[in-house]
Amino acid sequence: MRSRPAVRTVCLAILGSALLLLAVLFFAQYVTQIGRARDQEVASQLTEVYGQVDQKFIALAERNWNLLEDGALVCALAQQDDRAADYLAQLKQRWKFHNWLFIDQDGSCIDMTGKKGYLDLGQDFYLLTQEGRSVIVEGTLDDAGQVLLFAIPTAPGRFQGFDFLAAALLYDAEALHEVLDDVAYAGQSECLLLDRNGRTLVSFQQKIVDTQDLFTMLAIADFEDADQTAVRTAIRTGQRGDCLFTVPKGSFYLHYQPLGLQDWMLVGIVPQEAVGQHVRQVVRQTTRICVVCALLLLIVLAITLIEHDRRAMLRQKGELAYREKLFDILSANVSQVFVVLLPGDHRVEYVSPNAEQVLGWSRERIQADRDLLAQVEFPDRPGLHWDDLDDLPLGTTDQLISTRRHPETGEQLWFDELIYHIKIGKIERFLLIIQDRTQERRDRIDLMTALDVAEAANTAKSAFLSNMSHDIRTPMNVIIGFLPLLERDADDPDRVREYARKIGASSHHLLGLINDVLDMSRIESGKVDLSADAFVLGGLVERIELIIRPQATAKKQTLRIVTRTLLQEQLVGDEPKLSQILVNILTNAVKYTPEGGHIQLTIEQLPQTAPSRVTTRFIVQDDGIGMSKAYQKVLFDPFTREKTGVSSQLQGTGLGMSIVKNLLDLMGGSIDVESAPGAGSTFTVTLDLRVQEESADPGYWQAQHLHRALVVDAAAACSGDVAGILSQSGLPAVCADTLDDAIVQLDAADPPFDLVLLGCRQPDTNGLLAARALRPHFQPERTLLLVAGDWTPVAAQLRAAGVAGSLPKPFFLSSLKEELRHLREGDAPVAAAPTGGLQGLHLLVAEDYPLNAEIIEGTLELFGATCDLCANGAEAVERLLASSPGQYAAILMDMQMPVMNGCAATQAIRASNHPCARTIPIVALSANAFAEDVREALDAGMDDYLTKPIDAALLEQALVAILAQKRQDPT
């Protein structure tokens, strides 16, 4: 058994431990309550004090709005500027502002003394002048330093000859202090207005924060009950809160809350000793009482503290390592490089890991060679050298703008550099922050470039309008000038016909100019849509030839179309735009080539780099008047024409080549020009076009039982081109330049030839002779005639002589395959028989404008046709529904009409039960000439689309073609 003393000792030990535990628990609870009371009192005080500052600032702003509104009204109504200036001076003396400004719509300003200047308000200027909102803006002035500007929009007024629409009050730091009379802790605190990025806009004391960036100061602060990142996030997101932090100047409470005006934050920084005086007194009194208890615990705590300190050191080292690692991770993804330098020898102690990303040097290289950081230039003022760092006072900051060269690329980079001389405890360091500003500077340069481009565009637009006015007035002068001459010479038919011919030519010129201007306008406004439709290259060339050959024939010019190495003829693209490009170039070639000249269009394709695309070249050559080198530089500018003795006599809009260039840019193509005065011109258009899917058929020739072909043509180049196209498509072909050579090759061929392509210039003579000479040596059903003319008048004779069919020049594989299909199926195409024009036909015309209706009726009478006129689409529908089948041969439909427009009327007709509703031809006559208008009309059920002004020949041609098509295919 244990002795009594031992038991007593154990009991005392247990009792002492229990009392000690109770004392510790009581003291801990007491301290917790005191801490809560302190926190509640601090939070309450800070909220109340800075709530008063907020309200006072709001009151200042509202007073200033009223002052500005009243003052601007007084100055606007004042009869004399001296009285207005005296009134503003009285306001300044009474309300203690720094200056009064009037602002105009351009940002220019004038102060109350009459001094003028320019005020850069940035985005706030738009809010002030355009949205009519009152704004508060911070900035700096040469004569006042940091200022705060209160501005409101006003009614337009005038002060000392200056027209204004806004007024503003300026407060410098001294004026703000005097007006606000800082109410926070009797001037011991510092009150700041910040933007959401922590940048100081206004400081009412500037005793504690000596930098324009609060976050920079907080970056080196220690926080007791908060996290620096959380504080930064709270300020940026406009939250309210407070916390305690420590910097070399001492410990301070930080209070932040949204300002009642603008998107700003109100921040208060209060020394710790100035807050919670009452709680501290209670703590001091109770601390004296608890000293005795604390002494009793001292021995026990001493041992505990030693162990605690040891563990705290380990924990602190872990936290330090964690913070360094976290800082490395964060700094690796920002544009700021952080460098810590030791005082004295200025060795590099630390470099953030993003140094290589921003500066081009790794952190290891910078730590090994600090002079890498000295490879810098300071464009604004002399920069700091290593020896100058020690001259920077402790606790101050220097800011510089610098440029550096990237060590690998040589690119010039721009930076903001901040140098801090800091001391935390006994540790003194230099902190260098290098922030990349290169992109911001590039954005500024890009903005200036865009401004220059816009100014150049305005200048070009003015020139464009001037030229357009001149070119429109020229044909208009002809049209208007001949009208009185027509009245004067009405009894002279010959002169009337001559005047009408000249008026017609000028009218067509004017219409072409208007169409070109509209095309240019749509291209420049981005309203041109490119289609991606399937088309055949041979059909495109055939349609272009139908337009250009009559023009060339009228000037006795030779037009030659040549094909070379065409492997892909079934393409996908915008055929109308491509046709417009080539027609514009060829029309210019005809226009600027004298009579008897030569024009050649060459189509060739480059070797394919991908099976789905092919690069196609269209080369237009002429031996016309040519162009100078100087003019070639502006050839594609709108309204440009070279002024020479010949070209000045030719009509033109000066827009054709500009349209060509813009369309090619939209289509991803290019155009090259080679020319010289008197030596003709060569235009090369290059386009990358998509090939129709499944257009290639490798087994086609075998399926047709064709294995060899002979091309007979006296033009060696032509026969070589055709033979080359056939060979590359999979059908081996050889050439013969003479009939004798062809007969020899036909007789000696082993295996024999399966196809003969016979080239000649005219079918009536050369074709007959050649066919008769070859007939004994080859099968007539496999002989085709390559001819540039029409073989229909002598088709029977040619067939009797041994020709099965004809192919047009230039040669296209698609044409050959189509002709072979006709021969195989026995349905060779026959030219449509003449229809007899419009003689005796009766039409229905819907046109709301009486003069246009009269013109249409008269035009139809020229061709022996009659019509019934309707004033709108609804009346046209009623007329047709009431008519007997076949009463109307066709309908001419205006697009824009009252009651019911052309599209609605067409849809109503097509949907009706009239026997002719689905078959009667309907042709649109409209002043709208854009692709979307044509598409809308065709989608509504119309058969064709003609634009006004009405061309009589085109109207007859379109109606004849549609009526012929309807007779062949009534559906």
Side-chain angles (χ1 to χ4, degrees):
M1 293 185 61
R2 293 182 180 179
S3 63
R4 286 182 177 274
V7 173
R8 188 181 296 111
T9 301
V10 172
C11 292
L12 290 175
I14 293 174
L15 180 60
S17 298
L19 292 174
L20 181 62
L21 179 60
L22 289 175
V24 170
L25 292 175
F26 172 78
F27 187 77
Q29 181 65 24
Y30 177 77
V31 170
T32 300
Q33 292 295 334
I34 292 297
R36 291 175 180 174
R38 180 199 65 189
D39 293 340
Q40 291 175 357
E41 181 177 357
V42 167
S44 175
Q45 283 188 15
L46 292 174
T47 301
E48 179 181 358
V49 168
Y50 287 102
Q52 294 177 13
V53 175
D54 186 11
Q55 292 300 318
K56 194 166 186 180
F57 189 83
I58 293 175
L60 172 64
E62 291 176 350
R63 188 197 72 192
N64 287 341
W65 304 145
N66 296 332
L67 268 178
L68 286 168
E69 187 174 357
D70 295 340
L73 179 62
V74 170
C75 292
L77 298 177
Q79 299 296 325
Q80 297 180 4
D81 290 335
D82 292 341
R83 293 183 177 180
D86 291 342
Y87 173 75
L88 296 180
Q90 294 174 8
L91 290 180
K92 177 180 179 181
Q93 182 178 4
R94 179 179 179 184
W95 299 110
K96 309 301 182 183
F97 55 82
H98 177 71
N99 205 343
W100 180 294
L101 297 179
F102 289 108
I103 307 167
D104 69 5
Q105 62 183 1
D106 297 323
S108 299
C109 61
I110 186 173
D111 66 5
M112 55 191 293
T113 65
K115 181 180 178 181
K116 295 182 178 180
Y118 177 78
L119 194 62
D120 186 5
L121 299 180
Q123 179 65 26
D124 293 311
F125 183 75
Y126 176 86
L127 299 176
L128 175 66
T129 61
Q130 300 299 319
E131 296 189 4
R133 292 166 54 181
S134 301
V135 297
I136 305 175
V137 186
E138 60 85 24
T140 58
L141 290 179
D142 293 338
D143 61 342
Q146 187 181 27
V147 296
L148 195 64
L149 181 144
F150 297 80
I152 66 167
T154 67
R158 191 175 183 86
F159 176 75
Q160 295 190 6
F162 182 86
D163 295 323
F164 63 87
L165 50 74
L169 287 179
L170 283 176
Y171 284 84
D172 58 12
E174 181 178 355
L176 279 175
H177 298 162
E178 184 174 356
V179 171
L180 288 173
D181 188 24
D182 189 16
V183 299
Y185 299 99
Q188 299 181 57
S189 66
E190 180 167 349
C191 189
L192 309 172
L193 294 182
L194 309 178
D195 63 17
R196 294 296 175 86
N197 294 319
R199 186 168 61 91
T200 302
L201 304 177
V202 178
S203 173
F204 294 140
Q205 292 293 338
Q206 205 165 0
K207 296 178 179 180
I208 303 170
V209 179
D210 54 2
T211 176
Q212 290 299 309
D213 188 352
L214 176 65
F215 292 164
T216 301
M217 186 194 79
L218 297 180
I220 60 173
D222 290 328
F223 287 81
E224 178 178 310
D225 54 355
D227 180 73
Q228 175 192 347
T229 302
V231 172
R232 292 164 64 104
T233 301
I235 293 176
R236 284 176 172 166
T237 55
Q239 302 180 30
R240 180 192 300 271
D242 31 44
C243 59
L244 182 64
F245 70 92
T246 302
V247 292
K249 292 185 178 181
S251 297
F252 301 87
Y253 278 104
L254 175 69
H255 175 82
Y256 47 89
Q257 66 179 57
L259 188 64
L261 294 171
Q262 302 285 101
D263 192 18
W264 294 350
M265 294 292 291
L266 175 64
V267 175
I269 301 177
V270 188
Q272 184 180 16
E273 59 271 16
V275 183
Q277 296 284 355
H278 174 72
V279 174
R280 282 195 296 276
Q281 291 177 1
V282 174
V283 171
R284 283 195 294 269
Q285 292 175 0
T286 55
T287 300
R288 296 190 187 100
I289 298 173
C290 294
V291 167
V292 177
C293 296
L295 291 175
L296 296 175
L297 300 174
L298 185 60
I299 297 175
V300 176
L301 291 178
I303 299 173
T304 304
L305 287 175
I306 292 173
E307 181 63 19
H308 178 270
D309 287 343
R310 186 183 68 82
R311 293 182 178 181
M313 289 294 292
L314 294 176
R315 192 164 53 250
Q316 187 175 8
K317 288 181 180 180
E319 291 178 356
L320 182 60
Y322 165 76
R323 290 182 180 180
E324 288 182 355
K325 183 63 176 179
L326 180 60
F327 180 77
D328 286 349
I329 294 173
L330 294 176
S331 62
N333 298 301
V334 299
S335 61
Q336 292 176 321
V337 175
F338 300 91
V339 181
V340 178
L341 302 170
L342 297 173
D345 58 2
H346 307 124
R347 285 187 296 107
V348 177
E349 181 182 44
Y350 171 82
V351 181
S352 59
N354 62 335
E356 187 169 6
Q357 174 186 344
V358 178
L359 301 176
W361 293 295
S362 65
R363 60 194 303 182
E364 292 77 14
R365 287 194 59 189
I366 294 175
Q367 287 178 320
D369 184 6
R370 67 165 189 184
D371 290 332
L372 292 176
L373 297 175
Q375 298 178 15
V376 59
E377 296 180 0
F378 300 96
D380 294 341
R381 63 182 178 90
L384 289 177
H385 299 285
W386 300 124
D387 296 337
D388 300 328
L389 288 179
D390 293 328
D391 297 333
L392 186 66
L394 187 65
T396 60
T397 305
D398 198 2
Q399 183 173 4
L400 308 106
I401 298 176
S402 66
T403 63
R404 300 173 184 269
R405 292 282 179 184
H406 195 281
E408 294 183 1
T409 64
E411 178 186 12
Q412 187 180 35
L413 306 175
W414 290 80
F415 298 92
D416 280 349
E417 300 198 16
L418 291 173
I419 304 174
Y420 296 89
H421 191 177
I422 61 175
K423 189 173 184 180
I424 303 176
K426 296 182 178 181
I427 301 175
E428 181 180 352
R429 294 291 186 269
F430 291 100
L431 175 61
L432 175 61
I433 302 176
I434 305 173
Q435 184 167 7
D436 189 359
R437 297 292 188 187
T438 305
Q439 188 59 45
E440 295 180 10
R441 188 172 184 87
R442 288 174 181 168
D443 292 342
R444 191 180 304 114
I445 294 174
D446 290 343
L447 184 61
M448 297 302 297
T449 302
L451 179 61
D452 293 339
V453 170
E455 292 177 350
N458 286 334
T459 303
K461 185 180 295 183
S462 299
F464 178 89
L465 293 175
S466 176
N467 290 330
M468 184 176 65
S469 174
H470 171 271
D471 281 17
I472 287 178
R473 289 176 183 274
T474 298
M476 283 295 298
N477 180 62
V478 175
I479 296 170
I480 296 174
F482 274 118
L483 291 178
L485 298 182
L486 282 172
E487 294 179 358
R488 185 194 68 184
D489 298 328
D491 298 330
D492 189 341
D494 293 336
R495 286 195 174 185
V496 168
R497 279 191 290 271
E498 180 64 18
Y499 295 158
R501 184 185 65 81
K502 293 178 179 178
I503 289 174
S506 296
S507 299
H508 283 290
H509 175 53
L510 180 60
L511 179 60
L513 174 62
I514 293 173
N515 288 335
D516 285 348
V517 170
L518 291 176
D519 283 344
M520 280 296 298
S521 175
R522 290 177 63 78
I523 291 172
E524 292 180 350
S525 63
K527 295 182 179 179
V528 174
D529 296 326
L530 295 177
S531 63
D533 300 323
F535 70 95
V536 179
L537 195 57
L540 168 69
V541 174
E542 181 181 353
R543 286 183 283 276
I544 292 173
E545 184 179 8
L546 288 175
I547 297 172
I548 300 301
R549 190 169 292 281
Q551 301 177 20
T553 303
K555 293 187 68 175
K556 301 177 182 179
Q557 297 168 342
T558 300
L559 174 63
R560 185 165 180 253
I561 301 178
V562 178
T563 58
R564 293 175 184 162
T565 62
L566 294 183
L567 296 179
Q568 302 292 348
E569 297 180 22
Q570 297 180 349
L571 306 173
V572 176
D574 195 324
E575 182 186 10
K577 299 291 191 304
L578 179 55
S579 176
Q580 182 180 4
I581 290 169
L582 296 177
V583 167
N584 279 4
I585 298 174
L586 286 165
T587 300
N588 276 355
V590 173
K591 183 187 301 182
Y592 294 107
T593 299
E595 289 191 3
H598 301 80
I599 300 168
Q600 177 169 309
L601 169 61
T602 303
I603 305 104
E604 63 182 16
Q605 290 178 339
L606 302 182
Q608 288 182 254
T609 58
S612 61
R613 306 198 70 84
V614 62
T615 300
T616 306
R617 283 181 180 166
F618 302 87
I619 305 171
V620 179
Q621 298 170 288
D622 65 65
D623 53 4
I625 62 176
M627 295 174 287
S628 65
K629 294 293 183 182
Y631 178 66
Q632 292 178 42
K633 297 179 180 179
V634 296
L635 171 64
F636 300 109
D637 293 344
F639 287 107
T640 55
R641 297 179 63 199
E642 189 169 22
K643 302 300 182 182
T644 64
V646 177
S647 64
S648 60
Q649 300 175 9
L650 300 174
Q651 287 187 340
T653 64
L655 288 173
M657 297 311 296
S658 180
I659 293 173
V660 166
K661 182 65 169 63
N662 281 277
L663 288 178
L664 282 173
D665 288 344
L666 288 174
M667 299 170 73
S670 65
I671 182 169
D672 298 314
V673 184
E674 294 181 7
S675 183
S681 303
T682 299
F683 290 83
T684 302
V685 172
T686 304
L687 271 175
D688 185 44
L689 297 170
R690 186 156 55 91
V691 179
Q692 293 183 33
E693 294 183 4
E694 301 180 357
S695 61
D697 185 2
Y700 174 79
W701 300 115
Q702 287 75 11
Q704 302 298 317
H705 304 292
L706 298 176
H707 306 285
R708 294 185 70 198
L710 176 65
V711 181
V712 185
D713 200 317
C718 178
S719 62
D721 290 339
V722 174
I725 293 174
L726 289 173
S727 297
Q728 292 179 15
S729 69
L731 178 62
V734 296
C735 301
D737 299 338
T738 64
L739 283 174
D740 292 339
D741 185 21
I743 292 171
V744 171
Q745 293 198 49
L746 286 171
D747 292 340
D750 185 21
F753 290 103
D754 305 305
L755 178 66
V756 172
L757 301 181
L758 180 59
C760 61
R761 295 189 177 182
Q762 295 296 329
D764 53 353
T765 56
N766 298 337
L768 284 171
L769 295 175
R772 288 169 182 166
L774 291 180
R775 181 169 183 175
H777 306 275
F778 191 70
Q779 309 171 45
E781 64 271 14
R782 289 298 179 90
T783 301
L784 299 178
L785 190 69
L786 280 171
V787 64
D790 183 13
W791 84 307
T792 305
V794 292
Q797 300 178 50
L798 285 170
R799 285 197 178 95
V803 175
S806 72
L807 294 175
K809 288 185 178 180
F811 174 77
F812 288 96
L813 276 176
S814 57
S815 301
L816 173 60
K817 292 180 178 180
E818 182 66 15
E819 184 66 19
L820 291 174
R821 185 185 69 82
H822 289 313
L823 293 176
R824 184 178 65 255
E825 298 176 359
D827 58 347
V830 179
T835 62
L838 306 179
Q839 184 70 34
L841 298 182
H842 189 61
L843 288 79
L844 181 62
V845 177
E847 172 60 63
D848 64 309
Y849 190 52
L851 292 180
N852 282 343
E854 183 179 351
I855 292 172
I856 296 172
E857 185 177 22
T859 301
L860 292 174
E861 289 177 356
L862 289 176
F863 303 112
T866 58
C867 67
D868 290 340
L869 298 175
C870 304
N872 56 66
E875 185 178 342
V877 175
E878 293 175 1
R879 284 284 188 95
L880 179 70
L881 296 180
S883 68
S884 58
Q887 179 178 344
Y888 295 114
I891 301 175
L892 300 181
M893 186 77 71
D894 186 23
M895 293 293 288
Q896 301 293 335
M897 293 182 292
V899 184
M900 180 182 288
N901 63 32
C903 287
T906 300
Q907 292 170 341
I909 290 173
R910 295 302 190 203
S912 70
N913 295 323
H914 192 276
C916 300
R918 291 170 178 78
T919 59
I920 187 169
I922 303 178
V923 178
L925 294 179
S926 176
N928 296 332
F930 296 129
E932 55 265 31
D933 301 312
V934 178
R935 192 180 305 114
E936 181 184 4
L938 298 180
D939 292 342
M942 298 188 185
D943 296 282
D944 203 351
Y945 193 99
L946 299 178
T947 58
K948 298 176 182 178
I950 300 169
D951 187 309
L954 289 178
L955 177 60
E956 182 197 25
Q957 180 182 353
L959 287 174
V960 168
I962 293 173
L963 291 171
Q965 180 183 357
K966 290 292 184 180
R967 277 190 286 270
Q968 294 179 4
D969 184 10
T971 60

